[in-house]
Amino acid sequence: MKKLTHLPRWTLLLTSLAAVTPAAAQTAAPAASAAPAQFIAPKIDWTRELKVMSGVTIADNGDLIYLGSDSRIRRTDAQGKEKWTYAAGDIGRANPVVTPQGSVLAASYDDHVYLLDPNGKLQWKLKLDGDIYASPALRLDGSFIVGTAGGSVYALSADGKVLWQYKVGAPVFSSPAVAADGTIYFGAQNNRMHALTPDGTLKWAYAAGSLVFSSPAIGREGGIYFGSSDRKIHALNPDGTLKWTVPTGLFVNASPIVTSTDLVVVGSYDGKVYAVNTTGENEWVYTAGAPIAGAAAELSDGTILIPDLSGTVHAIGKAGQRLWTIQTGKKIDTAIAVSDAGTVYFTTEGGALNALQKQRPLAVGPWTTFHALPSSWGRALSANDLQARTAARRAAATAAIAALKPAPGSTPAPTPTPVRPPTATTPPAGTPPAGTAPGGTGPVATTPATPVRPPVTTPTAPATPTRTPEEAARLAGGGARAVGRTVYLPLAETAQALDMAVKVLSPRQATVTVLGSPVLVSTVTLDGRAYLPLSGLARLPGVTVKTDPAAGTVNVTRLARTRSFPVNFGKAVSLEVMRTTY
């Protein structure tokens, strides 16, 4: 393994400490699978010795892209079968980026970034001012943001030209994150979190109490969340002012995620996982029992998956309870990766890639996996863009997986989803020792094959509903109602027709769960039943509402499924009220 001496000496020392920690920490760890009996850990479907060194990035069609310990950029199918490799100049640990067009941007310890087309052919490479440990980010215009150990952050055009260079003056191991307004956030070894304008001008720099290895996550409201070696989780407002900090027992060098319910979830070297709400209060604290360096991922049912340095993968329920654990005995220091087909991937020390039997797909939320998306864009998306992107990814993944032959010896049996316990328990505290391992990047040799990647397209909803008015009336349980100029649909029947869970909180409020994310909505009670206004329904992620005065129906579309509800009010009222566009 080359050029490990490029890491600062104190970093190598901390990494060495982390490597001896798990055995000691395990003595204090709770017994594996200390969950109710109905929670059975899924089996590892397959393990491949693939020399994986970086984090694993997942393309829209389910292909896996990573950098190997042999200095090669590699692309495999969803079952680990190699499609092509490309020889870079050194190893690397940063997650590659997969663009919407299927190109791959990878970075290496040889100071270079490489752009390869979907077939593994080099488009361009560019030498920067130092090794690249941090994962690059992809901006909306197709340009890339790259941080280096040489102490700079670069903006690179899609054709490989330097647009600008910001000199930090300290190594950058924290992967940049791009906000919806184009602001670029990253941490550095000067103990600061930085914010740059889209043209590379410094907006502000916030001083943490120690080094910032952690890569920032961006919340739904634009907040910036990260950890530091000062043993704290930090939350900042977009203007750089402090929202809150939460203390932990040791370094927080892992990168946080922000869940579909807006919890900031991150592990610490104290062996605990913290779930913090937007006001800075711990919703729960889970004891893993060994230091944590890798980022978590949230599944669509709210389950949190997170690895630790003892080689254990933990599944944590919504209330912080242990659901199950899988122990590999080999260190895991990179993020969990989850495909849109529901396959969970993780890499153990030595480069073996492991795939769990099918779980649920990734949750749809502001930042539910490392670097925001499986394709590692490192960019915040609007709610509508996120829904459309997720739908497109899942369509592509479904088509690609359906075409694959079963892996040799694999038994793709889906894991049952049991009813979760109603109450939360906070596991007892433990205090394992410290260590740290920054992220990085690398590649090396060529054997391009030719994978065909489906284009990313947003599925189009059917234009015309197929249900008859009689069928729609039975489904809607009475159909749409009008009160004044407001049109309402029956809440329970609408949620059932669109596959959404609903919980009535009061006569005026309810929550509707869309793809694992509960959304608060206003309701009214008519004739003893809860109704939802069309304007509120139209604001739910991924839901489109159209009215058809001629047919006398309200047509609601979600995930390319359209349901029609008949209107139950006079024609004169309907023609006036239903002109409203939602």
Side-chain angles (χ1 to χ4, degrees), residues 542-569:
V543 174
T544 303
V545 178
K546 293 183 179 179
T547 58
D548 187 345
T553 58
V554 176
N555 306 319
V556 184
T557 300
R558 175 175 176 263
L559 298 180
R561 295 172 54 189
T562 297
R563 295 294 181 266
S564 297
F565 298 85
V567 297
N568 287 343
F569 42 87

Side-chain angles (χ1 to χ4, degrees), residues 248-297:
T248 70
L250 277 172
F251 312 129
V252 186
N253 294 339
S255 301
I257 64 169
V258 182
T259 71
S260 56
T261 55
D262 300 312
L263 292 180
V264 179
V265 176
V266 65
S268 167
Y269 272 89
D270 65 5
K272 297 178 184 177
V273 183
Y274 296 81
V276 188
N277 63 27
T278 53
T279 60
E281 301 168 313
N282 282 324
E283 288 287 324
W284 48 260
V285 179
Y286 170 91
T287 298
I292 297 167

Side-chain angles (χ1 to χ4, degrees), residues 379-390:
R379 184 174 90 233
L381 300 181
S382 70
N384 288 340
D385 288 345
L386 187 58
Q387 291 288 344
R389 171 117 187 102
T390 301

Side-chain angles (χ1 to χ4, degrees), residues 229-241:
S229 296
D230 65 2
R231 307 184 179 201
K232 292 178 182 177
I233 305 164
H234 296 256
L236 305 180
N237 294 304
D239 63 0
T241 56

Side-chain angles (χ1 to χ4, degrees), residues 29-35 39-44 286-289 305-306 308 310-316 321-328 346 356:
S33 302
F39 294 106
I40 300 173
K43 294 180 180 179
I44 295 178
Y286 170 91
T287 298
L305 300 182
I306 194 166
D308 69 32
S310 76
T312 301
V313 176
H314 302 261
I316 307 171
Q321 76 276 27
R322 177 170 298 183
L323 302 181
W324 49 260
T325 60
I326 292 176
Q327 294 179 332
T328 69
F346 60 92
L356 296 186

Side-chain angles (χ1 to χ4, degrees), residues 85-294:
T85 71
Y86 179 84
D90 206 339
I91 58 173
R93 299 214 66 204
N95 283 47
V97 175
V98 182
T99 71
Q101 296 75 34
S103 297
V104 173
L105 184 84
S108 166
Y109 291 179
D110 67 351
D111 306 352
H112 281 80
V113 287
Y114 300 79
L115 186 77
L116 310 175
D117 73 10
N119 298 320
K121 182 179 178 182
L122 181 68
Q123 300 300 290
W124 53 261
K125 68 177 182 178
L126 187 65
K127 181 177 175 61
L128 305 182
D129 70 353
D131 296 353
I132 304 161
Y133 295 84
S135 301
L138 174 67
R139 296 202 287 184
L140 184 61
D141 63 359
S143 62
F144 303 97
I145 302 296
V146 185
T148 72
S152 292
V153 171
Y154 291 84
L156 308 178
S157 66
D159 58 358
K161 295 181 175 59
V162 175
L163 301 176
W164 50 257
Q165 176 185 5
Y166 176 80
K167 293 187 177 181
V168 185
V172 177
F173 298 136
S174 165
S175 300
V178 182
D181 67 356
T183 301
I184 300 151
Y185 302 111
F186 64 92
Q189 301 303 287
N190 58 2
N191 303 354
R192 285 168 168 76
M193 177 60 59
H194 303 76
L196 303 182
T197 64
D199 63 1
T201 303
L202 181 68
K203 292 177 72 171
W204 49 259
Y206 164 85
S210 188
L211 305 172
V212 182
F213 287 103
S214 178
S215 302
I218 301 174
R220 197 186 311 271
E221 83 299 356
I224 305 101
Y225 304 97
F226 64 98
S228 169
S229 296
D230 65 2
R231 307 184 179 201
K232 292 178 182 177
I233 305 164
H234 296 256
L236 305 180
N237 294 304
D239 63 0
T241 56
L242 179 66
K243 290 177 67 174
W244 46 258
T245 61
V246 170
T248 70
L250 277 172
F251 312 129
V252 186
N253 294 339
S255 301
I257 64 169
V258 182
T259 71
S260 56
T261 55
D262 300 312
L263 292 180
V264 179
V265 176
V266 65
S268 167
Y269 272 89
D270 65 5
K272 297 178 184 177
V273 183
Y274 296 81
V276 188
N277 63 27
T278 53
T279 60
E281 301 168 313
N282 282 324
E283 288 287 324
W284 48 260
V285 179
Y286 170 91
T287 298
I292 297 167

